[in-house]
């Protein structure tokens, strides 16, 4: 299995440094961006499985980044790590950014790491689901092809049987 990657986005260098320290021994690869634009550039170059972003950033805020990621990279699991703890911010993130979890700053390191690992697990499950659905679609196409073949064979047998039936009636009449 490919090593999973997590992208952390925050405009505060101290927060980025703290996140580097907290995640350095984790089994996933971590990327760090100082803002939404830098994160978009990284998304072009790297495969990202989970994104953790702040909301209040200059230039492109976290909600705009989440909307972009949702539209162009819908498989990426989205999390928010923000000091905004008001209901409107949380609901906007959940509804407009379609986030998996909302983590309030200051965070608890253990809870943060557990949440990120859970997000990776969700990504893995969704990827497995997509692979199984693809296999199911392939099996369905194969099954439909076989049903079509059998139907044609049965129709051919049926027409031959009818010809035989009429032939036997003609012979009987003669």
């Amino acid at each position: 299995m490919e090593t999973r990657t997590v992208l952390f986005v925050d405009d505060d260098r101290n927060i980025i440094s703290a996140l580097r320290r907290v995640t350095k021994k984790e089994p996933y690869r971590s990327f760090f961006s100082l803002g939404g634009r830098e994160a978009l550039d990284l998304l072009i170059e790297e495969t990202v499985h989970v994104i953790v972003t702040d909301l209040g950033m200059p230039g492109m805020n976290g909600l705009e980044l989440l909307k972009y990621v949702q539209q162009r990279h819908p498989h990426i699991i989205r999390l928010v790590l923000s000091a905004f703890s008001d209901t409107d911010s949380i609901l906007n993130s959940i509804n407009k950014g379609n986030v998996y979890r909302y983590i309030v700053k200051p965070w608890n390191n253990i809870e943060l790491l557990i949440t990120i690992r859970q997000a990776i697990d969700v990504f893995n499950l969704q990827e497995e689901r997509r692979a199984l659905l693809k296999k199911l679609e392939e099996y369905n196409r194969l099954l439909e092809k076989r049903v079509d073949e059998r139907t044609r064979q049965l129709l051919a047998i049926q027409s031959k049987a009818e010809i035989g039936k009429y032939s036997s009636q003609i012979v009987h009449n003669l």
Side-chain angles (χ1 to χ4, degrees), residues 44-61:
I44 292 169
E45 298 171 17
E46 299 289 343
T47 299
V48 173
H49 303 103
V50 175
I51 186 167
V52 182
T53 185
D54 185 18
L55 287 181
M57 298 183 290
M60 174 183 267
N61 68 37

Side-chain angles (χ1 to χ4, degrees), residues 104-147:
V104 178
K105 293 177 186 174
W107 66 87
N108 175 299
N109 287 343
I110 293 171
E111 288 176 12
L112 175 68
L113 296 176
I114 288 171
T115 301
I116 292 170
R117 285 186 179 201
Q118 287 172 342
I120 291 170
D121 288 342
V122 167
F123 180 88
N124 291 337
L125 288 170
Q126 288 178 352
E127 186 175 71
E128 184 179 338
R129 178 180 175 268
R130 285 188 295 273
L132 289 172
L133 284 172
K134 185 177 179 181
K135 276 186 181 179
L136 183 61
E137 288 170 0
E138 289 172 17
Y139 288 141
N140 280 338
R141 279 193 296 276
L142 180 62
L143 184 59
E144 286 174 8
K145 183 179 175 184
R146 286 185 179 172
V147 166

